[in-house]
mmCIF file of all heavy atoms in Angstrom:
data_model
loop_
_atom_site.group_PDB
_atom_site.id
_atom_site.type_symbol
_atom_site.label_atom_id
_atom_site.label_comp_id
_atom_site.label_asym_id
_atom_site.label_seq_id
_atom_site.Cartn_x
_atom_site.Cartn_y
_atom_site.Cartn_z
ATOM 1 N N MET A 1 86.709 102.317 -129.422
ATOM 2 C CA MET A 1 86.192 102.235 -128.093
ATOM 3 C C MET A 1 86.920 101.079 -127.433
ATOM 4 O O MET A 1 87.098 100.029 -127.965
ATOM 5 C CB MET A 1 84.698 101.954 -128.125
ATOM 6 C CG MET A 1 84.134 101.743 -126.736
ATOM 7 S SD MET A 1 82.317 101.457 -126.721
ATOM 8 C CE MET A 1 81.775 103.180 -126.713
ATOM 9 N N LEU A 2 87.359 101.337 -126.199
ATOM 10 C CA LEU A 2 87.923 100.370 -125.360
ATOM 11 C C LEU A 2 86.898 99.913 -124.350
ATOM 12 O O LEU A 2 86.507 100.744 -123.527
ATOM 13 C CB LEU A 2 89.189 100.852 -124.662
ATOM 14 C CG LEU A 2 90.222 101.545 -125.532
ATOM 15 C CD1 LEU A 2 91.415 101.970 -124.710
ATOM 16 C CD2 LEU A 2 90.630 100.693 -126.680
ATOM 17 N N MET A 3 86.425 98.698 -124.393
ATOM 18 C CA MET A 3 85.461 98.201 -123.411
ATOM 19 C C MET A 3 86.139 97.417 -122.296
ATOM 20 O O MET A 3 86.997 96.549 -122.605
ATOM 21 C CB MET A 3 84.406 97.364 -124.131
ATOM 22 C CG MET A 3 83.554 98.206 -125.082
ATOM 23 S SD MET A 3 82.444 97.311 -126.115
ATOM 24 C CE MET A 3 83.558 96.808 -127.402
ATOM 25 N N ILE A 4 85.855 97.761 -121.135
ATOM 26 C CA ILE A 4 86.455 97.168 -119.918
ATOM 27 C C ILE A 4 85.579 96.055 -119.412
ATOM 28 O O ILE A 4 84.400 96.322 -119.057
ATOM 29 C CB ILE A 4 86.633 98.265 -118.863
ATOM 30 C CG1 ILE A 4 87.483 99.380 -119.381
ATOM 31 C CG2 ILE A 4 87.256 97.658 -117.572
ATOM 32 C CD1 ILE A 4 87.383 100.657 -118.533
ATOM 33 N N TYR A 5 86.085 94.826 -119.291
ATOM 34 C CA TYR A 5 85.367 93.727 -118.800
ATOM 35 C C TYR A 5 85.794 93.354 -117.438
ATOM 36 O O TYR A 5 86.963 93.529 -117.056
ATOM 37 C CB TYR A 5 85.447 92.502 -119.761
ATOM 38 C CG TYR A 5 84.562 92.787 -120.983
ATOM 39 C CD1 TYR A 5 85.114 93.379 -122.117
ATOM 40 C CD2 TYR A 5 83.204 92.427 -120.990
ATOM 41 C CE1 TYR A 5 84.336 93.622 -123.242
ATOM 42 C CE2 TYR A 5 82.434 92.661 -122.061
ATOM 43 C CZ TYR A 5 82.984 93.297 -123.215
ATOM 44 O OH TYR A 5 82.218 93.543 -124.278
ATOM 45 N N LEU A 74 80.397 93.786 -119.009
ATOM 46 C CA LEU A 74 80.926 95.097 -119.373
ATOM 47 C C LEU A 74 80.896 95.975 -118.115
ATOM 48 O O LEU A 74 79.806 96.219 -117.552
ATOM 49 C CB LEU A 74 80.026 95.673 -120.494
ATOM 50 C CG LEU A 74 80.530 97.037 -121.042
ATOM 51 C CD1 LEU A 74 81.909 96.936 -121.683
ATOM 52 C CD2 LEU A 74 79.484 97.549 -122.080
ATOM 53 N N TYR A 77 83.862 101.767 -120.115
ATOM 54 C CA TYR A 77 84.372 102.032 -121.464
ATOM 55 C C TYR A 77 85.211 103.278 -121.504
ATOM 56 O O TYR A 77 85.057 104.137 -120.660
ATOM 57 C CB TYR A 77 83.223 102.040 -122.440
ATOM 58 C CG TYR A 77 82.332 103.333 -122.293
ATOM 59 C CD1 TYR A 77 82.664 104.456 -122.985
ATOM 60 C CD2 TYR A 77 81.301 103.303 -121.342
ATOM 61 C CE1 TYR A 77 81.903 105.642 -122.805
ATOM 62 C CE2 TYR A 77 80.554 104.434 -121.178
ATOM 63 C CZ TYR A 77 80.849 105.576 -121.872
ATOM 64 O OH TYR A 77 80.076 106.720 -121.659
ATOM 65 N N LEU A 78 86.068 103.313 -122.499
ATOM 66 C CA LEU A 78 86.856 104.533 -122.832
ATOM 67 C C LEU A 78 86.698 104.754 -124.339
ATOM 68 O O LEU A 78 86.685 103.831 -125.089
ATOM 69 C CB LEU A 78 88.334 104.357 -122.555
ATOM 70 C CG LEU A 78 88.774 104.249 -121.100
ATOM 71 C CD1 LEU A 78 90.227 103.821 -121.094
ATOM 72 C CD2 LEU A 78 88.628 105.576 -120.448
ATOM 73 N N ILE A 79 86.524 106.020 -124.652
ATOM 74 C CA ILE A 79 86.555 106.354 -126.065
ATOM 75 C C ILE A 79 87.857 107.081 -126.255
ATOM 76 O O ILE A 79 88.113 108.038 -125.626
ATOM 77 C CB ILE A 79 85.335 107.177 -126.512
ATOM 78 C CG1 ILE A 79 84.093 106.344 -126.315
ATOM 79 C CG2 ILE A 79 85.459 107.612 -127.974
ATOM 80 C CD1 ILE A 79 82.802 107.104 -126.571
ATOM 81 N N VAL A 80 88.682 106.534 -127.185
ATOM 82 C CA VAL A 80 89.959 107.194 -127.493
ATOM 83 C C VAL A 80 90.020 107.478 -129.013
ATOM 84 O O VAL A 80 89.409 106.773 -129.737
ATOM 85 C CB VAL A 80 91.170 106.258 -127.028
ATOM 86 C CG1 VAL A 80 91.241 106.125 -125.553
ATOM 87 C CG2 VAL A 80 91.101 104.914 -127.719
ATOM 88 N N GLU A 81 90.691 108.526 -129.331
ATOM 89 C CA GLU A 81 90.881 108.887 -130.747
ATOM 90 C C GLU A 81 92.329 108.669 -131.052
ATOM 91 O O GLU A 81 93.191 109.460 -130.580
ATOM 92 C CB GLU A 81 90.438 110.330 -131.028
ATOM 93 C CG GLU A 81 90.444 110.637 -132.476
ATOM 94 C CD GLU A 81 89.759 111.967 -132.759
ATOM 95 O OE1 GLU A 81 88.738 112.259 -132.095
ATOM 96 O OE2 GLU A 81 90.155 112.588 -133.748
ATOM 97 N N CYS A 82 92.634 107.594 -131.802
ATOM 98 C CA CYS A 82 94.063 107.211 -131.995
ATOM 99 C C CYS A 82 94.334 107.165 -133.501
ATOM 100 O O CYS A 82 93.445 107.126 -134.303
ATOM 101 C CB CYS A 82 94.243 105.803 -131.445
ATOM 102 S SG CYS A 82 93.857 105.629 -129.732
ATOM 103 N N SER A 84 95.683 104.701 -134.995
ATOM 104 C CA SER A 84 95.504 103.360 -135.507
ATOM 105 C C SER A 84 94.838 102.448 -134.496
ATOM 106 O O SER A 84 94.894 102.741 -133.315
ATOM 107 C CB SER A 84 96.845 102.780 -135.985
ATOM 108 O OG SER A 84 97.614 102.533 -134.799
ATOM 109 N N VAL A 85 94.332 101.325 -134.942
ATOM 110 C CA VAL A 85 93.786 100.302 -134.049
ATOM 111 C C VAL A 85 94.981 99.688 -133.253
ATOM 112 O O VAL A 85 94.699 99.318 -132.068
ATOM 113 C CB VAL A 85 92.947 99.229 -134.785
ATOM 114 C CG1 VAL A 85 93.851 98.320 -135.604
ATOM 115 C CG2 VAL A 85 92.117 98.410 -133.811
ATOM 116 N N GLU A 86 96.173 99.695 -133.774
ATOM 117 C CA GLU A 86 97.281 99.178 -133.033
ATOM 118 C C GLU A 86 97.546 100.031 -131.812
ATOM 119 O O GLU A 86 97.907 99.516 -130.718
ATOM 120 C CB GLU A 86 98.538 99.089 -133.936
ATOM 121 C CG GLU A 86 98.431 97.973 -134.958
ATOM 122 C CD GLU A 86 97.559 98.340 -136.161
ATOM 123 O OE1 GLU A 86 97.323 99.538 -136.436
ATOM 124 O OE2 GLU A 86 97.110 97.354 -136.850
ATOM 125 N N ALA A 88 95.322 101.868 -130.236
ATOM 126 C CA ALA A 88 94.221 101.588 -129.287
ATOM 127 C C ALA A 88 94.486 100.310 -128.543
ATOM 128 O O ALA A 88 94.271 100.204 -127.304
ATOM 129 C CB ALA A 88 92.898 101.572 -129.963
ATOM 130 N N THR A 89 94.980 99.319 -129.248
ATOM 131 C CA THR A 89 95.280 98.012 -128.605
ATOM 132 C C THR A 89 96.428 98.188 -127.559
ATOM 133 O O THR A 89 96.452 97.603 -126.529
ATOM 134 C CB THR A 89 95.697 97.034 -129.700
ATOM 135 O OG1 THR A 89 94.585 96.910 -130.624
ATOM 136 C CG2 THR A 89 95.987 95.622 -129.114
ATOM 137 N N ALA A 92 94.885 99.664 -124.552
ATOM 138 C CA ALA A 92 94.105 98.623 -123.816
ATOM 139 C C ALA A 92 94.992 97.706 -123.053
ATOM 140 O O ALA A 92 94.688 97.291 -121.913
ATOM 141 C CB ALA A 92 93.241 97.874 -124.821
ATOM 142 N N MET A 103 90.068 93.434 -121.841
ATOM 143 C CA MET A 103 89.658 94.643 -122.539
ATOM 144 C C MET A 103 89.370 94.329 -123.993
ATOM 145 O O MET A 103 89.984 93.328 -124.560
ATOM 146 C CB MET A 103 90.821 95.634 -122.546
ATOM 147 C CG MET A 103 91.295 96.142 -121.196
ATOM 148 S SD MET A 103 90.227 97.348 -120.508
ATOM 149 C CE MET A 103 90.495 98.750 -121.572
ATOM 150 N N GLU A 104 88.347 94.969 -124.572
ATOM 151 C CA GLU A 104 88.016 94.776 -125.940
ATOM 152 C C GLU A 104 88.208 96.072 -126.653
ATOM 153 O O GLU A 104 87.797 97.132 -126.215
ATOM 154 C CB GLU A 104 86.536 94.294 -126.039
ATOM 155 C CG GLU A 104 86.095 93.981 -127.504
ATOM 156 C CD GLU A 104 84.699 93.519 -127.619
ATOM 157 O OE1 GLU A 104 84.113 93.054 -126.578
ATOM 158 O OE2 GLU A 104 84.118 93.529 -128.688
ATOM 159 N N VAL A 105 88.818 96.014 -127.846
ATOM 160 C CA VAL A 105 89.079 97.185 -128.687
ATOM 161 C C VAL A 105 88.154 97.016 -129.892
ATOM 162 O O VAL A 105 88.198 95.969 -130.607
ATOM 163 C CB VAL A 105 90.532 97.271 -129.161
ATOM 164 C CG1 VAL A 105 90.748 98.428 -130.039
ATOM 165 C CG2 VAL A 105 91.441 97.325 -127.971
ATOM 166 N N ARG A 106 87.298 98.046 -130.107
ATOM 167 C CA ARG A 106 86.404 97.989 -131.258
ATOM 168 C C ARG A 106 86.250 99.377 -131.873
ATOM 169 O O ARG A 106 85.949 100.276 -131.156
ATOM 170 C CB ARG A 106 85.086 97.481 -130.772
ATOM 171 C CG ARG A 106 84.108 97.143 -131.990
ATOM 172 C CD ARG A 106 82.853 96.625 -131.576
ATOM 173 N NE ARG A 106 82.856 95.551 -130.637
ATOM 174 C CZ ARG A 106 81.745 94.877 -130.244
ATOM 175 N NH1 ARG A 106 80.572 95.275 -130.664
ATOM 176 N NH2 ARG A 106 81.851 93.923 -129.407
ATOM 177 N N PRO A 107 86.552 99.451 -133.220
ATOM 178 C CA PRO A 107 86.377 100.759 -133.822
ATOM 179 C C PRO A 107 84.878 101.213 -133.803
ATOM 180 O O PRO A 107 83.965 100.387 -133.859
ATOM 181 C CB PRO A 107 86.836 100.498 -135.295
ATOM 182 C CG PRO A 107 87.705 99.291 -135.206
ATOM 183 C CD PRO A 107 87.112 98.439 -134.057
ATOM 184 N N ILE A 108 84.740 102.543 -133.697
ATOM 185 C CA ILE A 108 83.373 103.099 -133.794
ATOM 186 C C ILE A 108 83.201 103.439 -135.225
ATOM 187 O O ILE A 108 84.066 104.013 -135.906
ATOM 188 C CB ILE A 108 83.329 104.383 -132.880
ATOM 189 C CG1 ILE A 108 83.503 104.022 -131.433
ATOM 190 C CG2 ILE A 108 82.047 105.156 -133.120
ATOM 191 C CD1 ILE A 108 83.641 105.182 -130.513
ATOM 192 N N ILE A 109 81.986 103.144 -135.728
ATOM 193 C CA ILE A 109 81.629 103.443 -137.088
ATOM 194 C C ILE A 109 81.470 104.947 -137.231
ATOM 195 O O ILE A 109 80.700 105.603 -136.539
ATOM 196 C CB ILE A 109 80.308 102.712 -137.503
ATOM 197 C CG1 ILE A 109 80.586 101.242 -137.402
ATOM 198 C CG2 ILE A 109 79.866 103.148 -138.898
ATOM 199 C CD1 ILE A 109 79.286 100.460 -137.649
ATOM 200 N N ASP A 110 82.179 105.509 -138.196
ATOM 201 C CA ASP A 110 82.144 106.934 -138.428
ATOM 202 C C ASP A 110 81.044 107.176 -139.531
ATOM 203 O O ASP A 110 81.158 106.800 -140.620
ATOM 204 C CB ASP A 110 83.488 107.413 -138.990
ATOM 205 C CG ASP A 110 83.531 108.954 -139.217
ATOM 206 O OD1 ASP A 110 82.504 109.658 -138.800
ATOM 207 O OD2 ASP A 110 84.495 109.455 -139.719
#
Side-chain angles (χ1 to χ4, degrees):
M1 177 178 274
L2 310 182
M3 292 174 277
I4 303 164
Y5 285 90
L74 185 62
Y77 67 93
L78 290 171
I79 298 175
V80 294
E81 190 168 327
C82 302
S84 67
V85 70
E86 289 77 21
T89 302
M103 295 285 291
E104 181 177 344
V105 178
R106 192 179 306 183
I108 295 173
I109 296 172
D110 185 6

